[in-house]
């Protein structure tokens, strides 16, 4: 009787120099649990402290090279631990490495990783843009930033952001359509989006009704 060959992998963890909230130890424990659940043997571990915006990371390169040389999977806990740039992600996938992102499960297709990466990248750019435009709007209306009327400035900035809410709906349109087309309920779509690390514009977890409202807004464009 042939004995099943155990799946093998290397893990990669990263901590940003300017972000200490999601430590190496937490990532390592998450990866250990994931590999234990999926009966994966960890044959090597790579870790470094560097910005996710830096595409030229020494340990990440070593992890990718080792994975390809020994024909084992490369596993990270979350997509943001690997990269924050869609172009870099595509280059990693194109390199031929067998990539697994634990937060999306063992068999997540690469196109979905690309979709999520695009959404995350767009969200960061949109937040920056909305903030700048909101401050411009406050200035145009005569609100002096930094003065005692800070609460008034915040209210005006919030209104300016709300006026651009349609862009938020567009950000998740493709993901919602894809998940709904697979037969999932609104609640299940919300669970999937939360599992992908996606959050509402106010950084809250999605619920079925909020996803339904968002999708309804898209149909009215």
């Amino acid at each position: 009787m042939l004995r099943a060959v155990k799946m093998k992998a290397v893990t990669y963890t990263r901590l940003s120099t300017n972000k200490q909230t999601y430590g190496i130890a937490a990532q390592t424990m998450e990866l250990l649990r994931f590999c234990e659940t999926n009966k994966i043997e960890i044959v090597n571990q790579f870790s470094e402290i560097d910005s996710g915006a830096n595409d030229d990371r020494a340990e990440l390169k070593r992890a990718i090279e080792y994975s390809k040389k020994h024909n084992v999977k490369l596993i990270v806990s979350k997509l943001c631990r690997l990269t924050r740039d869609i172009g870099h992600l595509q280059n990693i996938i194109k390199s031929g490495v067998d990539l697994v992102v634990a937060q999306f499960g063992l068999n997540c297709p690469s196109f979905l990783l690309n979709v999520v990466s695009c959404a995350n990248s767009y969200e960061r750019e949109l937040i920056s843009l909305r903030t700048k435009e909101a401050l411009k709007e406050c200035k145009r209306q005569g609100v002096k930033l930094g003065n005692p009327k800070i609460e008034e400035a915040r209210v005006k900035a919030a209104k300016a952001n709300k006026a651009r809410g349609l862009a938020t709906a567009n950000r998740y349109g493709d993901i919602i359509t894809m998940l709904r087309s697979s037969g999932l309920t609104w609640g299940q779509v919300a669970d999937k989006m939360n599992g992908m690390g996606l959050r509402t514009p106010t950084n809250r977890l999605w619920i079925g009704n909020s996803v339904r409202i968002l999708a309804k807004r898209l149909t009215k464009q």
Side-chain angles (χ1 to χ4, degrees), residues 126-192:
L126 198 62
I127 288 173
S128 176
L129 179 62
R130 284 204 307 263
T131 300
K132 291 177 182 178
E133 291 183 347
L135 291 174
K136 285 182 181 179
E137 179 65 16
C138 287
K139 188 175 182 179
R140 188 186 70 79
Q141 295 184 23
V143 178
K144 294 182 179 180
L145 302 179
N147 69 5
K149 297 182 179 180
I150 186 64
E151 189 58 36
E152 180 182 348
R154 287 174 177 166
V155 171
K156 290 182 178 294
K159 288 181 178 179
N161 283 341
K162 187 176 181 179
R164 299 172 180 87
L166 188 57
T168 300
N170 287 328
R171 183 165 70 245
Y172 297 118
D174 290 342
I175 296 175
I176 294 173
T177 299
M178 178 182 64
L179 294 174
R180 280 287 289 174
S181 66
S182 65
L184 299 182
T185 65
W186 292 117
Q188 290 170 332
V189 170
D191 290 341
K192 288 287 185 181

Side-chain angles (χ1 to χ4, degrees), residues 103-104 112 175-176 179-180 184-199 204-212:
Q103 73 179 123
F104 300 141
L112 182 54
I175 296 175
I176 294 173
L179 294 174
R180 280 287 289 174
L184 299 182
T185 65
W186 292 117
Q188 290 170 332
V189 170
D191 290 341
K192 288 287 185 181
M193 291 175 68
N194 291 331
M196 292 176 188
L198 303 180
R199 295 294 181 265
R204 297 176 183 274
L205 292 174
W206 290 98
I207 60 174
N209 192 49
S210 61
V211 175
R212 182 185 63 78

Side-chain angles (χ1 to χ4, degrees), residues 42-54:
I42 299 176
V43 296
N44 208 339
Q45 297 176 308
F46 298 86
S47 182
E48 62 189 329
I49 298 178
D50 203 342
S51 170
N54 179 18

Side-chain angles (χ1 to χ4, degrees), residues 2 23 33 46 58 83 90 108 117 123 135 147 165-166 175 200 219:
L2 295 177
R33 288 194 296 267
F46 298 86
T83 182
Q90 290 174 342
C108 178
S117 182
E123 183 174 15
L135 291 174
N147 69 5
L166 188 57
I175 296 175
T200 69
T219 63

